[in-house]
């Protein structure tokens, strides 16, 4: 368990990341602030505590299968020194540097082009397989959205990884219970989600996706011999009260008044 | 053709540490040698083509050379979008080896036919598209594919197939092969239709017509130079392919001819949309129904030349 001062450090990084995300999205009128805010803590936990992202071929890999949340990834990679301030400033601009979905660029920490949902877990399984055959120690982490679990290809990969016991593969599900057009419960219900993964041979960890203590505990207690999944119970739009749990903020970009109000809350 | 390709691939697989082979539960007995030689680099991923392509991408992003195998519609149409994003746009070293070009699967029906694959694969960035004409070419293409660092689609026929060469030919990706030279007409063919093209040239010669036959084994990058050269020396150009006439060899050649201001006779032979509808039969029967027999083709070419 992390000490209080350490938790404060992670919370401070998360706060900076959210402000960065807000700036990128407000400046460019971009969508996806809600799904970016819901994944901040898991990204910060991975990059600042669990992953070695800069060890060449031995590095741990992270794939943002829910590529639309990339403002959060870019902001975290900037905090890690992998993406420059200039690159962040070029997000979603004509002739700019970073798209609204990530494009393969291992030098900047982007391990695959993602954004088409249902691809990431298969790619991650291939990377995990390569690591196992090569006898390498690295882990492959892949973050999926809950809506993404509607894609059949995800379950092909879930079956494959379970069958082969890929214990160097860690899936993370951002279970904020909202997808593009509404609540997951109303569109295609996913519950009992943990039981589904368990039935396919995975070790399931259910955690509060905004609680560093719970995330650290789960990522520090991964099961051997089978793949692990963290089902992250999260809040879409987490961190800005009027964005939380409102599907509107899947697409809406804040206007000036909303931007100021959001910034005020995040700086508090 | 499949066996010739896989035998050559197996030689390389035995000598490599980084070559992976994936199948989506097809290729009965075809992979026994791979499994025996290095079981940790051969995977039957199950009937899950989209997952197979993603796994191949992940392996390749970790430096592996990967071959994926299935029957063509399942290999390249089901997971088309995975191929587009994960393989083609990424520019990864993944080879897609498809079995059953055109009507190969005959009585198995249209679910198993490959009539749109060349159009789909040729439309993708970074993708090289190669169609061997006989088993010896399949062996040569296997060798070329091992040296090629990038995405490649290889369209194979079925077991056996026609024979064009008596020894493994010298091939170069993107460079068409002139098999016969003539003056009256040029026939450009691909895949198993190259054999038909050679027979057509023989039949036309009996009618006093001399025909150039070109084996266009690479659809992308297309050998535009040879098409331009044929346009400047031949008053009639014909294409033959076991594929829809839209988006395959004929379309590609016609674009080059048009851009070169060609004013001679041009006709595409291939499969018309819906041609396989309502017919049950083997591949030879279906080819005949689409007019793709040497007899039909030589007659149609003679008629075109008489009208010119």
């Amino acid at each position: 368990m992390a000490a209080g001062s350490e938790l404060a450090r992670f919370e401070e990084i998360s706060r900076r990341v959210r402000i960065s995300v807000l700036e990128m999205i407000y400046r460019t009128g971009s969508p996806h602030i809600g799904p970016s805010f819901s994944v901040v803590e898991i990204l910060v936990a991975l990059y600042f505590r669990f992953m070695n992202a800069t060890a060449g071929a031995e590095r741990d890999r992270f794939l943002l299968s829910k590529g639309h949340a990339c403002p959060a990834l870019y902001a975290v990679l900037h905090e890690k020194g992998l993406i420059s301030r200039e690159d962040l400033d070029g997000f979603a601009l004509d002739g700019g540097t970073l798209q609204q979905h990530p494009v393969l660029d291992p030098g900047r920490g982007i391990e695959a082009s993602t954004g088409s949902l249902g691809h990431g877990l298969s790619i991650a399984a291939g990377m995990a397989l390569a690591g196992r055959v090569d006898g390498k120690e690295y882990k492959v982490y892949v973050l999926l959205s809950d809506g993404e679990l509607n894609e059949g290809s995800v379950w092909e990969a879930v079956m494959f990884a379970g069958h082969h016991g890929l214990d160097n593969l860690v899936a993370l599900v951002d279970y904020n219970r909202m997808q593009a057009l509404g609540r997951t419960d109303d569109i295609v219900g996913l519950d009992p989600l943990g039981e589904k993964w368990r039935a396919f041979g995975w070790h399931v960890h259910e955690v509060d996706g905004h609680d560093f203590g719970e995330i650290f505990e789960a990522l520090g207690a991964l099961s051997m011999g089978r793949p692990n999944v963290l089902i992250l119970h999260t809040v879409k739009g987490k961190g800005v009260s009027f964005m939380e749990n409102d599907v509107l903020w899947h697409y809406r970009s804040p206007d000036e008044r909303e931007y100021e109000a959001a910034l005020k809350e995040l700086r508090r | 053709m499949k066996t010739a390709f896989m035998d050559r691939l197996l030689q390389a697989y035995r000598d490599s540490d980084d070559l992976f082979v994936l199948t989506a539960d097809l290729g009965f007995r075809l992979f026994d040698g791979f499994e025996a030689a290095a079981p940790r680099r051969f995977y039957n991923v199950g009937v899950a083509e989209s997952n197979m392509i993603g796994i191949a991408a992940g392996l390749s992003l970790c430096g592996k050379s990967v071959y994926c195998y299935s029957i063509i519609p399942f290999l390249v149409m089901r997971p088309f979008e995975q191929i587009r994003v994960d393989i083609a746009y990424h520019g990864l070293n993944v080879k897609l080896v498809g079995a059953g070009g055109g009507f190969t699967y005959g009585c198995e029906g249209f679910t198993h036919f490959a009539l749109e694959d060349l159009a789909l694969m040729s439309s993708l960035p970074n993708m090289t598209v190669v169609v061997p004409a006989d088993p010896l070419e399949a062996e040569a293409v296997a060798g070329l594919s091992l040296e090629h660092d990038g995405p490649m689609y290889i369209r194979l026929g079925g077991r056996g197939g026609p024979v064009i060469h008596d020894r493994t030919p010298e091939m170069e990706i993107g460079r068409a092969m002139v098999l016969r030279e003539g003056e009256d007409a040029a026939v450009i063919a691909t895949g198993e239709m190259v054999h038909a093209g050679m027979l057509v040239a023989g039949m036309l010669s009996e009618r006093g017509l001399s025909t150039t036959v070109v084996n266009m084994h690479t659809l992308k990058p297309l050998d535009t130079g040879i098409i331009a050269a044929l346009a400047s020396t031949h008053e009639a150009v014909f294409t033959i392919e076991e594929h829809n006439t839209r988006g395959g060899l004929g379309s590609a050649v016609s674009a080059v001819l048009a851009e070169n201001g060609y004013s001679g006779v041009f006709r595409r032979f291939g499969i018309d949309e819906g041609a396989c509808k309502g017919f049950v039969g083997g591949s030879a029967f279906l080819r005949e129904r689409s007019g793709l027999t040497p007899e039909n083709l030589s007659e149609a070419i003679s008629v075109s030349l008489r009208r010119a």
Side-chain angles (χ1 to χ4, degrees):
Chain A
M1 190 57 74
S5 62
E6 204 190 349
L7 279 181
R9 184 172 83 90
F10 285 100
E11 277 157 15
E12 173 54 22
I13 297 169
S14 303
R15 200 176 64 86
R16 284 204 305 269
V17 165
R18 281 200 173 83
I19 290 172
S20 227
V21 168
L22 175 69
E23 300 283 1
M24 272 187 267
I25 284 177
Y26 171 62
R27 194 173 60 237
T28 57
S30 291
H32 302 140
I33 194 164
S36 296
F37 278 175
S38 69
V39 298
V40 171
E41 280 76 17
I42 186 64
L43 290 177
V44 171
L46 285 171
Y47 278 92
F48 287 88
R49 189 172 169 118
F50 288 94
M51 279 174 56
N52 182 348
T54 53
E58 306 289 332
R59 72 189 182 281
D60 294 315
R61 271 85 169 160
F62 173 78
L63 295 170
L64 184 67
S65 194
K66 51 169 287 183
H68 56 282
C70 61
L73 176 63
Y74 297 155
V76 169
L77 292 173
H78 173 61
E79 291 281 337
K80 282 297 284 187
L82 283 161
I83 284 183
S84 68
R85 166 53 59 187
E86 292 69 38
D87 283 349
L88 270 198
D89 290 346
F91 169 71
L93 295 178
D94 292 343
T97 51
L98 294 165
Q99 288 186 178
Q100 287 169 343
H101 293 94
V103 174
L104 175 67
D105 187 350
R108 291 196 290 186
I110 300 170
E111 300 283 359
S113 306
T114 52
S116 171
L117 299 176
H119 290 220
L121 189 58
S122 296
I123 299 174
M127 290 176 162
L129 202 57
R132 173 193 275 189
V133 171
D134 288 344
K136 293 206 156 101
E137 294 292 310
Y138 67 74
K139 284 196 162 51
V140 185
Y141 300 91
V142 54
L143 178 55
L144 299 94
S145 76
D146 45 13
E148 179 174 11
L149 302 185
N150 299 163
E151 293 278 6
S153 58
V154 171
W155 298 98
E156 294 180 3
V158 171
M159 273 192 276
F160 178 86
H163 175 82
H164 289 281
L166 294 177
D167 57 8
N168 52 351
L169 174 65
V170 183
L172 313 145
V173 177
D174 179 28
Y175 199 13
N176 58 34
R177 306 189 85 93
M178 278 195 192
Q179 52 194 99
L181 299 189
R183 296 187 177 278
T184 54
D185 283 345
D186 297 334
I187 295 165
V188 176
L190 296 166
D191 287 332
L193 188 54
E195 283 180 39
K196 288 188 171 77
W197 288 79
R198 216 169 277 126
F200 285 93
W202 288 60
H203 185 89
V204 178
H205 310 255
E206 304 248 8
V207 301
D208 177 339
H210 301 301
D211 182 320
F212 282 110
E214 287 193 23
I215 293 172
F216 293 170
E217 201 177 317
L219 288 176
L222 298 176
S223 172
M224 299 293 286
R226 55 191 165 153
N228 287 264
V229 58
L230 270 64
I231 296 177
L232 301 157
H233 295 278
T234 56
V235 174
K236 196 158 189 152
K238 176 74 177 178
V240 173
S241 58
F242 59 89
M243 294 181 183
E244 290 186 358
N245 275 322
D246 186 348
V247 75
L248 177 71
W249 294 96
H250 188 85
Y251 290 119
R252 184 175 168 84
S253 186
D255 61 20
E256 192 181 346
R257 188 185 55 80
E258 290 160 340
Y259 163 73
E260 295 293 348
L263 197 57
K264 202 169 156 191
E265 284 195 31
L266 292 173
R267 281 186 174 155
R268 202 180 292 156
Chain B
M1 217 188 258
K2 293 188 281 193
T3 314
F5 186 95
M6 289 301 168
D7 284 350
R8 175 69 188 85
L9 186 63
L10 180 56
Q11 290 171 23
Y13 183 81
R14 287 202 181 102
D15 297 336
S16 162
D17 292 328
D18 285 326
L19 210 161
F20 280 65
V21 175
L22 310 178
T23 175
D25 204 32
L26 286 169
F28 188 64
R29 286 282 136 88
L30 200 54
F31 299 105
D32 291 359
F34 292 86
E35 219 170 349
R40 282 162 65 83
R41 289 185 284 114
F42 168 78
Y43 293 89
N44 178 355
V45 303
V47 191
E49 296 81 6
S50 304
N51 189 39
M52 174 166 72
I53 299 300
I55 289 169
L59 287 166
S60 178
L61 284 164
C62 294
K64 309 303 180 190
S65 167
V66 190
Y67 284 73
C68 296
Y69 175 89
S70 190
I71 294 177
I72 292 166
F74 321 138
L75 178 73
V76 303
M77 297 177 197
R78 168 74 60 88
F80 179 74
E81 201 246 357
Q82 272 84 358
I83 294 171
R84 171 181 180 264
V85 176
D86 305 348
I87 309 298
Y89 274 85
H90 279 162
L92 296 182
N93 192 17
V94 174
K95 311 298 182 325
L96 307 170
V97 184
F103 288 133
T104 299
Y105 280 101
C107 287
E108 302 215 33
F110 85 90
T111 52
H112 286 54
F113 296 162
L115 308 176
E116 308 88 4
D117 54 321
L118 298 177
L120 289 166
M121 291 297 105
S122 296
S123 71
L124 292 174
N126 302 315
M127 185 66 75
T128 295
V129 179
V130 183
V131 192
D134 79 351
L136 288 168
E137 285 196 10
E139 182 193 329
V141 168
L144 291 171
S145 72
L146 290 159
E147 292 157 21
H148 180 86
D149 185 9
M152 185 185 280
Y153 170 56
I154 299 150
R155 181 203 231 214
L156 301 178
R159 293 200 185 272
V163 174
I164 307 285
H165 305 279
D166 50 18
R167 59 175 177 272
T168 309
E170 289 288 321
M171 293 178 79
E172 190 184 325
I173 288 167
R175 196 181 188 92
M177 201 186 280
V178 179
L179 294 176
R180 179 175 174 141
E181 293 191 72
E183 286 165 6
D184 298 311
V187 167
I188 306 173
T190 194
E192 296 193 8
M193 286 296 114
V194 171
H195 184 247
M198 290 296 283
L199 295 177
V200 165
M203 290 174 182
L204 289 175
S205 138
E206 286 167 18
R207 301 180 189 214
L209 296 165
S210 79
T211 309
T212 296
V213 178
V214 170
N215 172 6
M216 193 64 82
H217 51 73
T218 308
L219 269 283
K220 186 170 178 264
L222 190 68
D223 187 346
T224 54
I226 200 164
I227 299 168
L230 292 171
S232 68
T233 51
H234 290 70
E235 285 176 9
V237 176
F238 302 93
T239 56
I240 314 175
E241 64 196 304
E242 201 171 328
H243 184 273
N244 276 351
T245 46
R246 293 160 200 256
L249 173 70
S251 294
V253 170
S254 69
V256 178
L257 291 175
E259 282 170 355
N260 279 276
Y262 185 61
S263 58
V265 174
F266 174 66
R267 191 167 164 195
R268 294 167 296 158
F269 295 103
I271 295 159
D272 287 332
E273 220 170 282
C276 52
K277 220 170 161 182
F279 296 128
V280 176
S283 53
F285 173 84
L286 293 167
R287 283 172 195 138
E288 190 194 329
R289 286 288 169 151
S290 284
L292 292 176
T293 61
E295 296 75 15
N296 283 330
L297 292 163
S298 55
E299 178 58 26
I301 288 173
S302 307
V303 170
S304 294
L305 290 174
R306 274 204 298 277
R307 282 190 191 142

